[in-house]
Amino acid sequence: MNKSVLGLLVISLAIVACTPQQQDVAELDESFFPELSGPYLGQEPPGLEPKLVAPGIVSTGRHTRDLAMTPDGNEIYFGATVGNRTVILMTKQVEGRWTEPEVAPFSGRYLDIEPAISPDGQRFFFLSTRPQAHQEEKPGWVYQDIWAMEREGDGWGEPYNLGPPVNSEASEYFPSLTVDGTLYFTREGEDGVSATYRSRFSDGAYLEPERLGPEVNCGTNRFNVLVAPDESFAVVPALGMEDSLGGVDYYVVFRSADDTWSEPINMGPAINQPDGREWSASLSPDGAYLFFMSSRLVEGAELPFEATTMSQLLTIGAQPGRGSSDIWWVSTEVIERLRPEGF
């Protein structure tokens, strides 16, 4: 980790051109949402240089992270935080057009984040603070457990808690799924230090999780580890590494056929930023693109800037790529170029 918000993303589109005095929330309506078609919301895919994901639609300057897609690419889910609410939003491609992102039907009452869809598209996992039957409903980041849903038609069934041995009295979060059903996730220790665990799936049940070695559980802390569906590599947001560019950086760790992991490799300045926040990554269904959360700035957003009034400051601050956590994407060729011999 670590109800509907009406007009959330549409407001972000409008505010780029309008100050708060010029554009009232009540004036916005569905007709403002643009017509989008084609893969990835009609965006041109990136190369080796990261690009914002759908500026003003997914990346909005409103703290977004954790992008997941169905295998056919026709459904996109992502997390957004507005005030004290954290929800999972969704957009679908219907009859060739993408719908305006809206709070997913299963989200909005509790704090939900970190969507992950199994490679076969049949199961949906996410972090939620919703209580179980024996628990009292409480506000805030309590009861952090991994929940799941099964595919039912063109939607999802009722969420259910994965239970033990995956979930425990500790906080478990950031599910990452493999082709064979293995679940990687983060568990927080009593000392506040988190570690990555792996639970194999056998005979319809998850086995006792095993804590991974120091190659993946590197640094002074780490969390939200993304593992490729074929388990060939993991992207590790790690803190306290000697070669860190600053704060939490993304590292890649490669895995061999005999389950040996390489030493962590810093993904470099093209991905990590000295003053950026980076701690949530995912892959496109075909493995061609890496999506990652970052507070990195777009070109030209550095200080000093032209704002001289409060309205101008608010307008700039509400744009993506201005220091809030947004979702970026890049070709996974940046990972392959780091792969050491033998992995």
Side-chain angles (χ1 to χ4, degrees):
M1 171 354 264
N2 174 339
K3 74 198 131 165
S4 169
V5 185
L6 180 62
L8 164 67
L9 301 176
V10 177
I11 293 170
S12 297
L13 282 167
I15 203 168
V16 173
C18 305
T19 67
Q21 289 82 3
Q22 293 171 320
Q23 183 69 43
D24 189 88
V25 172
E27 296 175 6
L28 297 168
D29 57 41
E30 293 182 1
S31 64
F32 191 86
F33 189 72
E35 292 188 16
L36 303 173
S37 61
Y40 303 106
L41 293 161
Q43 303 170 93
E44 180 182 352
L48 297 176
E49 290 296 322
K51 295 168 60 174
L52 276 165
V53 173
I57 298 169
V58 171
S59 296
T60 63
R62 290 293 200 278
H63 299 291
T64 53
R65 46 171 282 200
D66 309 322
L67 188 145
M69 301 178 65
T70 52
D72 61 9
N74 287 329
E75 297 175 30
I76 296 176
Y77 297 83
F78 59 97
T81 297
V82 180
N84 67 345
R85 305 304 300 165
T86 297
V87 299
I88 294 175
L89 294 162
M90 62 175 291
T91 175
K92 294 184 177 183
Q93 190 167 208
V94 179
E95 297 180 352
R97 291 180 55 184
W98 288 96
T99 61
E100 179 181 347
E102 60 183 14
V103 178
F106 57 86
S107 188
R109 179 173 178 178
Y110 306 100
L111 301 178
D112 302 318
I113 201 169
E114 300 172 355
I117 299 173
S118 61
D120 64 4
Q122 296 305 302
R123 302 183 81 188
F124 190 115
F125 296 72
F126 63 106
L127 164 66
S128 181
T129 64
R130 61 193 67 203
Q132 298 184 68
H134 65 281
Q135 294 174 321
E136 177 186 357
E137 190 167 317
K138 295 181 181 181
W141 287 102
V142 297
Y143 309 137
Q144 292 189 47
D145 277 344
I146 297 173
W147 290 68
M149 301 177 293
E150 307 294 333
R151 192 68 175 181
E152 293 185 359
D154 59 357
W156 302 99
E158 285 297 313
Y160 59 91
N161 189 296
L162 279 187
V166 172
N167 291 326
S168 68
E169 293 300 316
S171 294
E172 283 85 17
Y173 53 91
F174 208 83
S176 186
L177 292 311
T178 71
V179 171
D180 68 0
T182 298
L183 171 65
Y184 287 79
F185 64 96
T186 300
R187 176 176 289 165
E188 186 175 288
E190 293 182 359
D191 57 359
V193 177
S194 299
T196 302
Y197 287 77
R198 175 173 66 188
S199 179
R200 297 294 188 188
F201 194 70
S202 178
D203 295 328
Y206 286 104
L207 304 181
E208 187 65 32
E210 56 180 310
R211 178 173 171 146
L212 297 187
E215 298 83 9
V216 175
N217 285 313
C218 55
T220 58
N221 207 349
R222 76 301 304 166
F223 35 78
N224 300 353
V225 172
L226 162 71
V227 178
D230 64 359
E231 296 185 274
S232 63
F233 66 84
V235 175
V236 184
L239 180 68
M241 298 289 284
E242 290 186 0
D243 62 346
S244 170
L245 300 184
V248 178
D249 276 3
Y250 290 112
Y251 287 77
V252 61
V253 183
F254 294 93
R255 177 178 174 270
S256 66
D258 64 357
D259 202 28
T260 299
W261 296 86
S262 73
E263 292 299 315
I265 303 169
N266 192 299
M267 296 189 69
I271 305 298
N272 297 313
Q273 300 287 295
D275 56 353
R277 297 184 296 278
E278 294 111 4
W279 56 69
S280 169
S282 61
L283 292 169
S284 60
D286 61 4
Y289 305 105
L290 174 73
F291 301 99
F292 63 98
M293 184 213 95
S294 178
S295 60
R296 62 194 295 134
L297 304 177
V298 295
E299 185 177 354
E302 297 82 3
L303 293 173
F305 49 73
E306 66 279 8
T308 58
T309 67
M310 177 61 79
S311 295
Q312 291 172 341
L313 283 170
L314 291 173
T315 299
I316 291 173
Q319 297 174 18
R322 298 287 176 149
S324 295
S325 59
D326 292 303
I327 303 174
W328 297 70
W329 62 327
V330 69
S331 169
T332 49
E333 178 63 26
V334 300
I335 294 175
E336 292 306 316
R337 292 188 176 196
L338 298 174
R339 188 183 296 274
E341 187 176 351
F343 289 89

